[in-house]
Amino acid sequence: MSYGIFLIPILFLLNFIVRGKKIFLITAIFCLVILFLEFMPNRKVEGGTYFLSLSLVLFTFPVLVNRFEKMSLNFSEEAEKEFLHLEVVCKDMEKRIEDVEVTIRNLEKDNFTMLDLYEITKEMSGVLSFEDIFRFLQKTLRKNFSFEKGFLVILRHNFSALEIDKIYEISSLFTDDLKESYLSRREHYKVLERIYRERGSFYLDKDDDDVKRRFGIEVDVPFAVSALHSGNTVIGFLLLEGLKKEDFSKFTIFSTQISLELRKVILYEEIEKMATTDSLTGLYVRREIIKSFEEELGRAKKHKMFLSFLMIDIDHFKNCNDQYGHLTGDYVLREIARILRTNLREIDLIGRYGGEELTVLLLNTAEEEAKIVAERIREAVGKYPFKAYGEKFNVTVSIGGTVFPKDGESVIQLVANADKALYFAKNHGRNCVIFYDEIK
């Protein structure tokens, strides 16, 4: 037996103190193995070298085992950290995927919105009257938006400040009526003044603290409002009460489309107006007044109504041009046109027949009433103080008239006989009213 075997208890003790129970048990097992080998029969030991070598291995092995455990522990900790990091990354990726899916759904929703607006644009492309635009507006709003009440506000043209011309109510119920109205809430007017300056679209919610600070109002019912543009000019507003906030973006896009369509209608009406009205006086041109005369004469025949026609000539108009100049003559024509509009009903048709000759078509008006109207016009012109370019002067007019059916059955007859009556008035002192039946 080798004396080195007595080192074994010392090794046990050292391993127990330094390495702990686990390493101690491992050492014990290896020592038992060594003892077994030590006492094996027929084994030769030279100078205790074998035992010492084996003891060294025995002492070193627990150290290696401990090192291995530490490395394993470090690896486990690193692996756990990597796993936790990977878990965070996965959750972040899941969140991003959800955000992308939400974005895709929103894009799909916007795509459907744009397709709807494209279809709306196609349908509106042939609309050229304000009434048709309004009916289409109501129909589209009812179909695509949920709201309580709406308003289309139209502004006066060529004004540098906000001035409302007309307000039309947009009903959420099924109706196509073009109904003039007024804004239902006082705060609406304040908001329009602000938006007129800022030229934008706003959603005003009763729970939004910024509304009171920005607009100086309190909102009971949420509403959306958008300025409608024609170039750089605000031509009106679209306002919806009770609109859902999630529909505001779609509402803004739709408002832009309505702006384009209203602009097109306004341009068309201006062009049409230029083709049918005189640029100097704003009265109907000769072609348009004759066309209207034909239509009204047919209606008068059908319903057996009276129809009176007046032809008006400015007395000594050539002398006015020669004495004061053509600019003064233009001024006289404009002022007399204004006097006619002031002294006639809205349903009566006024036109510039040519040169200094003006015409008036009095609808459903008998002879006695027509004579009273003609005298009122003559007196109004004669009393009016004309002032132009530092000159003050008076102007008079001569008037010839005819009445359907007594003085003619056709437009040609009635116009020709009115012209004869006017010629008679001019040859008998001017500044008077003569009807055709007076010269028969």
Side-chain angles (χ1 to χ4, degrees):
M1 178 184 296
S2 171
Y3 293 103
I5 194 170
F6 296 107
L7 291 173
I8 291 174
I10 297 172
L11 291 175
F12 281 168
L13 183 61
L14 286 174
N15 276 297
F16 181 76
I17 294 170
V18 176
R19 304 302 175 188
K21 284 184 177 181
K22 190 174 180 182
I23 300 302
F24 171 76
L25 291 174
I26 296 173
T27 305
I29 293 169
F30 273 89
C31 284
L32 289 173
V33 172
I34 291 171
L35 287 173
F36 175 75
L37 294 173
E38 183 70 18
F39 291 102
M40 281 182 65
N42 302 323
R43 188 181 64 82
K44 294 180 179 180
V45 179
E46 296 179 0
T49 305
Y50 174 76
F51 181 77
L52 289 173
S53 299
L54 203 57
S55 297
L56 259 165
V57 172
L58 178 65
F59 186 75
T60 307
F61 182 75
V63 176
L64 294 174
V65 170
N66 183 258
R67 181 62 181 167
F68 178 76
E69 282 186 344
K70 285 184 176 179
M71 290 176 63
S72 299
L73 182 62
N74 291 336
F75 178 78
S76 298
E77 289 176 352
E78 290 296 326
E80 187 175 359
K81 288 181 181 179
E82 288 294 328
F83 178 78
L84 292 174
H85 176 68
L86 187 60
E87 189 176 10
V88 172
V89 171
C90 289
K91 288 182 178 179
D92 184 61
M93 289 297 295
E94 289 177 358
K95 180 66 170 59
R96 291 186 181 185
I97 290 171
E98 289 177 1
D99 292 340
V100 170
E101 289 176 348
V102 170
T103 302
I104 291 172
R105 286 195 295 270
N106 289 335
L107 287 173
E108 288 176 347
K109 185 179 179 181
D110 291 342
N111 183 47
F112 285 124
T113 300
M114 295 305 295
L115 288 174
D116 288 342
L117 291 175
Y118 173 70
E119 294 300 324
I120 291 170
T121 303
K122 282 172 54 179
E123 289 185 49
M124 283 197 294
S125 60
V127 177
L128 292 175
S129 71
F130 179 79
E131 289 78 6
D132 290 339
I133 281 286
F134 183 79
R135 292 189 184 96
F136 192 87
L137 171 65
Q138 284 204 120
K139 176 183 174 183
T140 305
L141 288 174
R142 285 196 297 263
K143 180 180 177 182
N144 295 278
F145 298 93
S146 175
F147 63 98
E148 296 175 8
K149 187 188 294 184
F151 300 94
L152 177 63
V153 181
I154 303 298
L155 303 183
R156 293 188 187 277
H157 303 319
N158 302 321
F159 280 87
S160 58
L162 173 64
E163 187 171 349
I164 294 175
D165 183 21
K166 292 180 180 178
I167 300 174
Y168 299 98
E169 183 179 335
I170 302 170
S171 175
S172 59
L173 304 176
F174 184 77
T175 176
D176 289 330
D177 295 337
L178 190 65
K179 179 183 177 183
E180 286 193 42
S181 181
Y182 56 88
L183 298 179
S184 58
R185 300 175 187 275
R186 185 177 298 176
E187 58 264 26
H188 290 167
Y189 292 95
K190 290 185 178 181
V191 172
L192 293 190
E193 290 177 3
R194 179 69 177 267
I195 295 177
Y196 179 79
R197 296 192 299 270
E198 298 188 8
R199 289 167 163 74
S201 300
F202 295 90
Y203 185 86
L204 293 94
D205 197 343
K206 59 183 179 180
D207 297 326
D208 190 351
D209 295 332
D210 188 54
V211 171
K212 187 173 182 179
R213 179 187 61 79
R214 187 170 188 178
F215 294 94
I217 62 171
E218 292 185 359
V219 177
D220 296 328
V221 177
F223 65 93
V225 59
S226 180
L228 306 177
H229 301 266
S230 177
N232 294 324
T233 304
V234 177
I235 59 176
F237 302 94
L238 182 61
L239 187 152
L240 293 184
E241 285 186 0
L243 181 73
K244 295 179 180 178
K245 195 168 186 177
E246 56 265 29
D247 290 334
F248 178 64
S249 177
K250 186 178 178 181
F251 168 79
T252 303
I253 298 172
F254 180 71
S255 299
T256 302
Q257 186 61 42
I258 287 296
S259 294
L260 295 174
E261 296 305 321
L262 279 178
R263 182 183 180 187
K264 180 186 70 175
V265 169
I266 289 171
L267 290 173
Y268 177 78
E269 289 181 348
E270 287 178 354
I271 293 171
E272 192 177 46
K273 186 176 180 181
M274 290 173 62
T276 60
T277 59
D278 174 56
S279 59
L280 177 63
T281 62
L283 304 178
Y284 287 116
V285 296
R286 179 173 179 171
R287 180 187 67 256
E288 190 65 20
I289 200 71
I290 293 299
K291 176 184 175 183
S292 298
F293 200 171
E294 293 280 3
E295 293 173 357
E296 294 301 331
L297 183 60
R299 190 175 291 109
K301 289 179 179 179
K302 181 179 179 180
H303 299 286
K304 297 181 180 180
M305 297 186 301
F306 292 106
L307 197 64
S308 297
F309 180 74
L310 305 179
M311 185 165 285
I312 305 167
D313 186 83
I314 303 173
D315 296 331
H316 305 296
F317 186 71
K318 185 177 182 303
N319 294 339
C320 177
N321 280 332
D322 293 341
Q323 183 176 353
Y324 303 113
H326 288 279
L327 290 178
T328 300
D330 291 345
Y331 160 76
V332 170
L333 282 167
R334 285 195 298 268
E335 288 302 295
I336 291 179
R338 189 183 63 79
I339 292 170
L340 290 175
R341 283 191 287 262
T342 302
N343 286 273
L344 293 169
R345 303 169 298 179
E346 287 189 8
I347 63 171
D348 297 326
L349 303 177
I350 314 169
R352 185 179 180 187
Y353 200 70
E356 69 271 23
E357 287 187 337
L358 308 174
T359 60
V360 175
L361 185 60
L362 301 172
L363 305 184
N364 195 24
T365 304
E367 183 174 3
E368 292 303 317
E369 188 179 355
K371 287 181 178 180
I372 293 172
V373 173
E375 281 293 340
R376 185 168 68 238
I377 292 171
R378 185 190 66 79
E379 290 178 5
V381 173
K383 293 177 180 179
Y384 187 81
F386 289 85
K387 299 175 183 179
Y389 307 103
E391 299 289 343
K392 296 181 180 180
F393 51 93
N394 293 321
V395 175
T396 61
V397 293
S398 299
I399 302 175
T402 52
V403 178
F404 168 80
K406 184 172 68 173
D407 298 329
E409 291 286 335
S410 67
V411 171
I412 293 175
Q413 285 180 322
L414 291 167
V415 171
N417 291 337
D419 190 53
K420 290 177 183 178
L422 175 62
Y423 183 78
F424 186 89
K426 292 177 71 67
N427 286 333
H428 289 78
R430 292 185 171 86
N431 191 25
C432 62
V433 175
I434 299 295
F435 270 67
Y436 183 67
D437 69 331
E438 298 176 47
I439 64 171
K440 287 181 180 178

